[in-house]
Amino acid sequence: MFAVDSVSVTVPATTANLGPGFDCIGAALTLYNEFKFTTHTQEKVTITVTGAEAERVQTDESNMLYQAFVKLYEYLGQAPPPVQIDIKLGVPLARGLGSSATAIVGGLVGANVLAGEPLSQSQVMELAIAMEGHPDNVVPAFVGGCRLAATSNAGWEICEVPWHEEIVPIVAIPDFELSTKEARRVLPKEVSRADAIFNTAHLGLLLRGLETGRGDWLRAALQDKLHQPFRKALIKGYDAVNAAAVAAGAYGMVISGAGPTLLALTDIAHSEAVATAMATAWQSEGISPVVRSLKVDNQGARSFF
Ligand code: HSE
């Protein structure tokens, strides 16, 4: 690989869990963060940020994108080059749409390109999973599509989950945040056998429902006993938005990642009505959401010179 001194990396948002697939399934969505890395002659990293909520992003060495950039060089046993980083935000922060996964994947991919691509895709992905602590955001952010990740003796098995083209993901992004740490803190350490069986069966049904687009399977599949019952109390208006989405024709509604964004799956014919119903229901609870009808991104992270 030839050496370059500048690279731009675009990374999609992701929605993790999809209800019953806690910590193991996620899909990339057509909403993006863009990161540009340019080596420079100053001693320190310099970082600029544009886009919504730009002022909230750290612009010193604690920046997560930069931390991931450094991580790859540490893995190689090399010092990172001084670099100028320009961040263009399109993925809302701390809303359950994988903004931190975009930073981890973006930093690792950018560093790997500037270093001459010494690491394979699967090595970079393993580093990303180790940094994030679970695979369900970083894997689809990296490779695109809907993906299931399972540990194996050799590391991780990553499996593509076919997503029927007529299933529309609608995200309702509220004007408040929920930290993943807090949303994980409320989860029980142990679950009953009945609840484990419930989720195993529903995740199996979800995989077949996503592949076939069968509404009866999707309607039953989008249920969970491992995280949502404990998290929904942290999301004001959850029940009202859920009821409104289903009444408007959605197959179901789940928490996107650790929340607070809510994700409905619907068919194309009902997508506008579902989006409007979710927005109206949340507004009547005093919350101003941004509601977007998206698609699954099938490309994942891409770099440009
Ligand atoms: N699977 C994770 C969770 C995604 O639900 O906590 C958030 O990063």
Side-chain angles (χ1 to χ4, degrees), residues 16-17 21-24 100 132 134 136-137 180 183-184 187 227 231 257-259:
N17 303 329
F22 179 60
D23 270 2
C24 63
S100 59
E132 177 87 328
H134 41 83
D136 47 346
N137 289 112
T180 299
R184 292 182 85 83
L187 303 182
H227 65 113
R231 287 175 163 175

Side-chain angles (χ1 to χ4, degrees), residues 38-46 81-84:
T38 311
T39 55
H40 65 187
T41 49
Q42 294 169 39
E43 264 175 40
K44 284 195 165 173
V45 57
T46 49
V83 68
Q84 158 78 33

